[in-house]
Coordinates of all heavy atoms in Angstrom, one line a residue:
E1 N 32.7 31.1 -41.9 CA 33.2 31.3 -40.5 C 34.5 31.9 -40.5 O 35.2 32.1 -41.6 CB 33.2 29.9 -39.8 CG 34.2 28.9 -40.3 CD 34.2 27.6 -39.5 OE1 34.9 27.5 -38.5 OE2 33.5 26.7 -40.0
K2 N 35.1 32.3 -39.3 CA 36.4 32.9 -39.2 C 37.4 32.1 -40.0 O 37.6 30.9 -39.6 CB 36.8 33.1 -37.8 CG 38.1 33.8 -37.6 CD 38.4 34.0 -36.1 CE 39.7 34.8 -36.0 NZ 40.1 35.0 -34.5
P3 N 38.1 32.6 -41.0 CA 38.9 31.8 -41.9 C 40.3 31.5 -41.3 O 41.3 32.2 -41.7 CB 39.0 32.6 -43.2 CG 38.8 34.0 -42.7 CD 37.9 34.0 -41.5
Y4 N 40.4 30.5 -40.5 CA 41.6 30.1 -39.8 C 42.6 29.4 -40.8 O 43.8 29.2 -40.4 CB 41.3 29.2 -38.6 CG 40.5 28.0 -39.0 CD1 41.1 26.8 -39.5 CD2 39.1 28.0 -38.9 CE1 40.4 25.7 -39.8 CE2 38.4 26.9 -39.3 CZ 39.0 25.7 -39.7 OH 38.2 24.6 -40.1
W5 N 42.2 29.1 -42.0 CA 43.0 28.3 -42.9 C 43.7 29.2 -43.9 O 44.4 28.7 -44.9 CB 42.0 27.4 -43.7 CG 40.9 28.2 -44.4 CD1 41.0 28.7 -45.7 CD2 39.7 28.5 -43.9 NE1 39.8 29.3 -46.0 CE2 39.0 29.2 -44.9 CE3 39.0 28.3 -42.7 CZ2 37.7 29.8 -44.7 CZ3 37.7 28.8 -42.5 CH2 37.1 29.5 -43.5
L6 N 43.7 30.5 -43.8 CA 44.2 31.4 -44.8 C 45.7 31.3 -45.0 O 46.2 31.5 -46.1 CB 43.7 32.8 -44.6 CG 42.3 33.1 -44.8 CD1 42.0 34.6 -44.6 CD2 41.8 32.7 -46.1
K7 N 46.4 31.0 -44.0 CA 47.9 30.9 -44.1 C 48.2 29.9 -45.2 O 49.1 30.0 -46.0 CB 48.5 30.6 -42.8 CG 50.1 30.6 -42.9 CD 50.7 30.4 -41.5 CE 52.2 30.4 -41.6 NZ 52.9 30.2 -40.3
E8 N 47.5 28.7 -45.1 CA 47.7 27.7 -46.1 C 47.2 28.1 -47.4 O 47.8 27.8 -48.5 CB 47.0 26.4 -45.6 CG 47.2 25.2 -46.5 CD 46.5 23.9 -46.0 OE1 46.3 23.8 -44.8 OE2 46.3 23.0 -46.9
A9 N 46.0 28.7 -47.5 CA 45.4 29.1 -48.7 C 46.3 30.1 -49.5 O 46.3 30.1 -50.7 CB 44.0 29.7 -48.5
Y10 N 47.1 30.9 -48.8 CA 47.9 31.9 -49.4 C 49.4 31.6 -49.5 O 50.2 32.5 -49.4 CB 47.7 33.3 -48.8 CG 46.4 33.9 -49.1 CD1 45.3 33.9 -48.2 CD2 46.2 34.6 -50.4 CE1 44.1 34.5 -48.6 CE2 45.0 35.2 -50.7 CZ 43.9 35.1 -49.8 OH 42.7 35.7 -50.1
N11 N 49.6 30.3 -49.5 CA 51.0 29.9 -49.7 C 51.6 30.6 -51.0 O 52.8 30.9 -51.1 CB 51.2 28.4 -49.9 CG 51.1 27.7 -48.5 OD1 51.5 28.3 -47.5 ND2 50.7 26.4 -48.5
S12 N 50.7 30.7 -52.0 CA 51.0 31.5 -53.2 C 49.9 32.6 -53.3 O 48.7 32.2 -53.2 CB 51.0 30.7 -54.4 OG 51.1 31.5 -55.6
P13 N 50.2 33.9 -53.4 CA 49.2 34.9 -53.5 C 48.3 34.8 -54.7 O 47.1 35.2 -54.6 CB 50.0 36.2 -53.5 CG 51.3 35.9 -54.0 CD 51.6 34.5 -53.4
I14 N 48.8 34.3 -55.8 CA 48.0 34.0 -56.9 C 47.8 32.5 -57.0 O 48.7 31.7 -57.1 CB 48.6 34.5 -58.3 CG1 49.1 35.9 -58.1 CG2 47.7 34.2 -59.4 CD1 47.9 36.9 -57.9
N15 N 46.5 32.0 -56.8 CA 46.3 30.6 -56.7 C 46.6 29.9 -58.0 O 46.4 30.4 -59.1 CB 44.9 30.3 -56.1 CG 43.8 30.4 -57.1 OD1 43.7 29.6 -58.0 ND2 43.0 31.4 -57.0
I16 N 47.0 28.6 -57.9 CA 47.6 27.9 -59.0 C 46.5 27.6 -60.1 O 46.8 27.4 -61.2 CB 48.2 26.5 -58.5 CG1 49.0 25.9 -59.6 CG2 47.1 25.6 -58.0 CD1 49.8 24.7 -59.1
S17 N 45.2 27.6 -59.7 CA 44.2 27.3 -60.6 C 43.7 28.6 -61.4 O 42.7 28.5 -62.2 CB 43.0 26.7 -59.9 OG 42.4 27.5 -58.9
D18 N 44.3 29.7 -61.1 CA 43.9 31.0 -61.8 C 44.5 31.0 -63.2 O 45.4 31.8 -63.5 CB 44.3 32.2 -61.0 CG 43.7 33.5 -61.5 OD1 42.9 33.4 -62.5 OD2 44.0 34.5 -60.9
T19 N 43.9 30.2 -64.1 CA 44.4 30.2 -65.5 C 43.9 31.4 -66.3 O 44.5 31.6 -67.4 CB 43.9 28.9 -66.2 OG1 42.5 28.8 -66.1 CG2 44.5 27.7 -65.5
G20 N 43.0 32.2 -65.8 CA 42.5 33.3 -66.5 C 43.1 34.6 -66.2 O 42.6 35.7 -66.6
I21 N 44.2 34.6 -65.5 CA 44.8 35.9 -65.0 C 45.1 36.9 -66.1 O 44.9 38.0 -66.0 CB 46.0 35.6 -64.1 CG1 46.5 36.9 -63.4 CG2 47.1 34.8 -64.8 CD1 47.5 36.7 -62.3
I22 N 45.7 36.4 -67.2 CA 46.2 37.3 -68.2 C 44.9 37.8 -69.0 O 44.8 39.0 -69.2 CB 47.2 36.7 -69.2 CG1 48.4 36.3 -68.4 CG2 47.5 37.6 -70.3 CD1 49.2 37.4 -67.8
N23 N 44.1 36.9 -69.4 CA 42.9 37.3 -70.1 C 42.0 38.2 -69.3 O 41.5 39.2 -69.9 CB 42.1 36.0 -70.5 CG 40.9 36.3 -71.3 OD1 41.0 36.7 -72.5 ND2 39.7 36.1 -70.8
R24 N 41.9 38.0 -68.0 CA 41.1 38.8 -67.2 C 41.7 40.3 -67.1 O 40.9 41.3 -67.2 CB 41.0 38.2 -65.8 CG 40.1 39.0 -64.8 CD 39.9 38.2 -63.5 NE 41.1 38.1 -62.8 CZ 41.8 36.9 -62.6 NH1 41.3 35.8 -63.1 NH2 42.9 36.9 -61.8
N25 N 43.0 40.4 -67.0 CA 43.6 41.7 -66.9 C 43.4 42.5 -68.2 O 43.2 43.7 -68.2 CB 45.1 41.5 -66.6 CG 45.4 41.4 -65.1 OD1 45.4 42.4 -64.4 ND2 45.5 40.2 -64.6
I26 N 43.5 41.8 -69.3 CA 43.3 42.5 -70.6 C 41.9 43.0 -70.7 O 41.6 44.1 -71.1 CB 43.6 41.5 -71.8 CG1 45.1 41.2 -71.8 CG2 43.2 42.1 -73.1 CD1 45.5 40.1 -72.8
N27 N 40.9 42.1 -70.3 CA 39.5 42.5 -70.4 C 39.2 43.6 -69.5 O 38.5 44.6 -69.9 CB 38.7 41.3 -70.0 CG 37.2 41.5 -70.1 OD1 36.7 42.0 -71.2 ND2 36.4 41.3 -69.1
F28 N 39.7 43.6 -68.2 CA 39.5 44.7 -67.3 C 40.2 46.0 -67.7 O 39.7 47.1 -67.4 CB 39.9 44.3 -65.9 CG 38.9 43.3 -65.2 CD1 39.4 42.3 -64.5 CD2 37.5 43.4 -65.4 CE1 38.5 41.4 -63.9 CE2 36.6 42.5 -64.9 CZ 37.1 41.5 -64.1

């Protein structure tokens, strides 16, 4: 549905649980 919660969701643009960010960038 219309995502009214996004301001809270994007308190940090990279979410804290994104542990694969470096590995993913290398792979891509």
Side-chain angles (χ1 to χ4, degrees):
E1 63 180 275
K2 185 177 180 180
Y4 55 85
W5 58 89
L6 289 186
K7 184 176 180 180
E8 180 178 340
Y10 284 102
N11 281 335
S12 172
I14 308 298
N15 77 72
I16 194 171
S17 62
D18 190 1
T19 55
I21 185 171
I22 298 299
N23 185 67
R24 186 172 64 249
N25 275 278
I26 293 170
N27 184 51
F28 285 141

